[in-house]
Amino acid sequence: MHIVLDDAAMAAAGQGNILASRLIHRAHAEPDWFLYAPVCALVEADRARPGTAEHLVAMPGITVLDLDLSAALAVAREETWAAAHAQYAAQPTPDRPDGAVIATTVPQQWQGRPVRVLDLTP
């Protein structure tokens, strides 16, 4: 299972959202669960809730996704960098041929976008 955290899910995790916490625990404990934090979304989460970035990157089950050239080109075409980087990270890759699911606490933000969503709203 491949899951990308959007900025809202990251901020919620920092505020003690039980579903986000369970997801992070599972990614740490289960060998076939992978959790990703796109760096643009991580920045926005930290702006919304200072300290979130340091908290999340210290967790062993989370992989931070850098803004490489192809991601930067995809992000440049969108209005918000956080959502654009999360959507880009969820697209299929050789490592993730089925893509990834985006975990969020604001699922309505993703309506009409070509992504699968995991609602973390308690």
Side-chain angles (χ1 to χ4, degrees):
M1 176 65 92
H2 296 274
I3 301 169
V4 174
L5 295 170
D6 74 358
D7 57 314
M10 291 183 213
Q15 294 173 325
N17 177 297
I18 191 69
L19 297 174
S21 295
R22 286 181 184 165
L23 188 61
I24 291 167
H25 173 74
R26 191 154 208 185
H28 175 68
E30 300 285 332
D32 293 334
W33 281 67
F34 302 94
L35 203 54
Y36 304 98
V39 73
C40 291
L42 189 61
V43 168
E44 285 304 314
D46 199 69
R47 285 180 179 168
R49 187 170 192 288
T52 298
E54 290 86 357
H55 179 71
L56 287 175
V57 300
M59 295 183 180
I62 298 177
T63 301
V64 176
L65 300 176
D66 293 329
L67 187 64
D68 60 14
L69 178 58
S70 55
L73 294 174
V75 165
R77 290 188 287 262
E78 299 292 328
E79 246 180 72
T80 64
W81 287 26
H85 199 187
Q87 182 173 329
Y88 174 81
Q91 300 308 308
T93 66
D95 294 341
R96 299 183 304 272
D98 294 327
V101 176
I102 295 180
T104 186
T105 57
V106 287
Q108 63 276 13
Q109 170 184 323
W110 297 100
Q111 287 179 344
R113 292 183 180 244
V115 295
R116 295 175 291 153
V117 174
L118 175 62
D119 187 354
L120 299 180
T121 307

